[in-house]
């Protein structure tokens, strides 16, 4: 959120859309660290809600859960996962029962797990970077 | 200028980002953040704010349901990740629609709209009639002749005992302008003349054989206004 200098000293994981991230926050790395941290704090709770909805067979709750977490991926630059969430949300709109979403759900869950691993790793790297920028 | 705002948003990272954008602008003071409609309503009914950043899908109730229940009309910027709500946003006469995540530049554009948009707080008229533009002329409608007003997208239909008038307007806008003693909003698409209700059955009311839905959000208010013995 500082004026855009785009020094890009920090190299993000290739799965993170760094151009998108810079478009949101410029090179305000401490703030990006904060965004990653806050997202991680709520990650498990949000994914748990999705899993509970699927377990309960509620398509509506499943859609709501994915709808909620979707923009969080945008805020951390995981735009491919954000897009996958949008596709899954649309599939929920067409589905009448969770059983028909089984295969897509498994794929999504695996993406959510992958997203967390990436985010966690980048958060720790960013923390080190911000503590010792030079 | 210092606009007092409230953020209603269930995604913490989005609320934090929005708060940071507001702080950076130097023009918007964030008074509070609520993760759901119920908590926000309690606050908003006790404090007057200039601006509301409002998510649409939240646990318990939607942002639109909050707007239905608000007793006044601050400027509203909808923040959602779903473009499909743009139509509803227009119907609710909101100032802008921010698709999450948004850049600070986009936020600034929104701020520009907020600062140039006319005030929403138009006092309700106590008049016994209104004038509407219909078929190139201004037509006087006495409150007592109007049965109900129905939304038709960018237009509204005024239904009287013997005529229907279609005019370019929104229910949201009319809600602020019609006489609130005579009229009440019962659904996002309907304002009715309360003295014309013939009967109410479950979630619908009937006026001269016309079935009109009562939304869950408006039901309590409607029931309060009836003279039930």
């Amino acid at each position: 959120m500082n004026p855009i200098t785009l020094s890009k000293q920090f190299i993000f994981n290739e799965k993170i859309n760094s151009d998108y991230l810079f478009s949101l926050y410029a090179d305000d790395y401490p703030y990006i660290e904060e965004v990653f941290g806050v997202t991680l704090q709520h990650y498990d709770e949000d994914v748990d809600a999705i899993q509970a909805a699927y377990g309960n067979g509620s398509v509506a709750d499943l859609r709501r859960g994915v709808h909620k977490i979707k923009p969080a991926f945008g805020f951390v630059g995981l735009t491919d996962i954000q897009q996958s969430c949008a596709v899954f949300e649309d599939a929920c709109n067409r589905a009448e029962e969770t059983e028909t979403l089984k295969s897509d759900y498994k794929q999504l869950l695996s993406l959510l797990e992958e997203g967390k691993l990436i985010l966690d790793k980048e958060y720790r790297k960013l923390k080190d970077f911000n503590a010792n920028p030079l | 200028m210092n606009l007092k705002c409230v953020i209603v948003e269930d995604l913490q990272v989005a609320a934090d980002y929005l708060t940071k954008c507001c702080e950076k602008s130097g023009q918007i003071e964030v008074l509070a953040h609520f993760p759901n409609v119920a908590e926000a309503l309690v606050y908003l009914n006790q404090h007057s704010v200039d601006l509301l950043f409002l998510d649409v899908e939240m646990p318990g109730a939607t942002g639109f349901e909050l707007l239905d229940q608000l007793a006044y009309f601050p400027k509203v910027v909808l923040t959602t990740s779903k473009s499909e709500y743009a139509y509803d946003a227009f119907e609710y006469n909101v100032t802008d629609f921010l698709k999450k995540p948004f850049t600070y530049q986009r936020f600034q554009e929104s701020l520009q709209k907020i600062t140039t948009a006319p005030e929403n707080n138009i006092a309700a008229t106590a008049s016994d009639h209104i004038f509407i533009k219909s078929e190139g002329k201004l037509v006087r409608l006495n409150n007592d002749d109007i049965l109900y007003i129905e939304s038709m997208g960018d237009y509204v239909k005024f239904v009287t005992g013997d005529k229907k008038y279609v005019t370019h307007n929104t229910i949201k806008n009319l809600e602020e302008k019609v006489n609130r003693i005579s009229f009440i909003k019962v659904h996002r698409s309907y304002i009715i003349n309360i003295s014309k209700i013939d009967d109410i059955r479950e979630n619908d009311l009937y006026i001269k054989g016309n079935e009109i839905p009562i939304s869950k959000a408006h039901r309590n208010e409607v029931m309060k206004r009836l003279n039930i013995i």
Side-chain angles (χ1 to χ4, degrees):
Chain A
M1 305 269 291
N2 289 331
I4 299 175
T5 53
L6 300 182
S7 51
K8 294 193 180 183
Q9 302 117 315
F10 185 88
I11 308 296
F12 286 97
N13 181 299
E14 60 183 13
K15 296 217 169 162
I16 289 183
N17 185 340
S18 52
D19 287 339
Y20 186 70
L21 218 47
F22 283 114
S23 78
L24 292 175
Y25 316 116
D27 57 355
D28 190 345
Y29 294 114
Y31 186 62
I32 299 175
E33 177 194 324
E34 196 181 318
V35 169
F36 281 23
V38 171
T39 304
L40 280 167
Q41 271 174 33
H42 296 268
Y43 206 95
D44 289 344
E45 184 189 330
D46 289 343
V47 173
D48 285 351
I50 291 170
Q51 288 180 300
Y54 185 80
N56 294 334
S58 169
V59 176
D61 288 349
L62 185 58
R63 191 197 65 75
R64 263 194 290 275
V66 174
H67 175 81
K68 184 186 172 191
I69 204 170
K70 179 180 67 178
F73 290 110
F75 279 106
V76 296
L78 286 166
T79 47
D80 286 345
I81 301 182
Q82 182 188 18
Q83 181 55 29
S84 297
C85 287
V87 170
F88 186 81
E89 197 184 340
D90 287 343
C92 288
N93 283 329
R94 294 188 299 272
E96 287 182 2
E97 51 185 34
T98 51
E99 192 55 32
T100 56
L101 296 163
K102 191 173 181 178
S103 147
D104 291 342
Y105 171 73
K106 280 187 175 171
Q107 277 179 30
L108 182 77
L109 215 54
S110 138
L111 279 175
L112 297 183
E113 281 166 18
E114 186 193 4
K116 186 184 173 186
L117 290 177
I118 294 169
L119 202 53
D120 198 36
K121 199 172 170 187
E122 294 303 289
Y123 175 61
R124 281 186 277 116
K125 272 169 57 188
L126 259 175
K127 218 170 174 174
D128 286 345
F129 176 83
N130 286 329
N132 309 286
L134 296 177
Chain B
M1 184 184 57
N2 201 9
L3 293 165
K4 294 186 190 310
C5 94
V6 159
I7 297 171
V8 189
E9 166 66 69
D10 64 339
L11 185 66
Q12 186 63 47
V13 71
D16 291 351
Y17 179 69
L18 196 44
T19 303
K20 199 170 172 75
C21 287
C22 292
E23 285 169 1
K24 191 180 174 186
S25 77
Q27 294 183 68
I28 304 176
E29 182 188 353
V30 180
L31 297 179
H33 158 232
F34 299 99
N36 58 59
V37 167
E39 286 179 47
L41 267 175
V42 171
Y43 182 91
L44 290 167
N45 283 329
Q46 290 168 0
H47 303 82
S48 176
V49 304
D50 305 308
L51 174 64
L52 203 54
F53 286 104
L54 183 63
D55 188 11
V56 177
E57 286 198 29
M58 286 173 285
T62 69
F64 293 123
E65 286 171 306
L66 181 146
L67 294 179
D68 285 337
Q69 292 174 66
L70 256 192
Y72 62 101
F73 307 98
K75 287 176 180 170
V76 176
V77 174
L78 284 187
T79 59
T80 176
S81 59
K82 216 171 175 183
S83 312
E84 287 88 329
Y85 289 120
Y87 175 79
D88 290 315
F90 178 74
E91 189 164 312
Y92 273 81
N93 205 19
V94 304
T95 304
D96 201 9
F97 179 91
L98 283 174
K99 189 165 184 285
K100 290 179 291 193
F102 46 85
T103 61
Y104 182 68
Q105 189 184 345
R106 178 66 187 86
F107 175 83
Q108 281 180 306
E109 289 168 14
S110 189
L111 184 53
Q112 179 70 22
K113 288 184 189 175
I114 293 161
T115 51
T116 54
E119 291 296 324
N120 277 344
N121 290 313
I122 301 166
T125 171
S127 173
D128 62 352
H129 67 274
I130 54 170
F131 278 95
I132 60 165
K133 270 186 195 169
S134 180
E135 296 174 354
K137 57 186 176 183
L138 284 172
V139 179
R140 177 186 166 126
L141 295 180
N142 292 325
N143 291 346
D144 198 44
D145 293 335
I146 300 168
L147 301 181
Y148 63 91
I149 309 165
E150 181 182 356
S151 168
M152 299 168 67
D154 293 347
Y155 293 83
V156 292
K157 180 167 67 181
F158 287 81
V159 179
T160 67
D162 55 356
K163 278 188 177 174
K164 290 172 184 169
Y165 302 88
V166 175
T167 184
H168 190 262
N169 216 321
T170 64
I171 287 289
K172 185 76 185 165
N173 186 40
L174 288 173
E175 186 188 1
E176 297 158 17
K177 293 184 175 170
V178 294
N179 185 328
R180 291 184 189 172
I181 297 165
S182 304
F183 295 95
I184 184 169
K185 188 176 176 186
V186 296
H187 184 274
R188 72 162 71 163
S189 298
Y190 290 93
I191 291 173
I192 60 125
N193 186 331
I194 201 144
S195 67
K196 303 293 180 184
I197 299 173
D198 292 321
D199 58 284
I200 296 180
R201 292 172 229 165
E202 295 183 349
N203 297 320
D204 298 301
L205 60 85
Y206 293 82
I207 298 177
K208 304 271 184 258
N210 298 291
E211 182 180 294
I212 294 167
I214 309 171
S215 72
K216 199 174 155 190
H218 293 94
R219 190 173 172 79
N220 280 348
E221 188 58 30
V222 174
M223 297 314 277
K224 266 191 247 170
R225 293 277 300 274
L226 294 177
N227 189 17
I228 301 174
I229 300 171

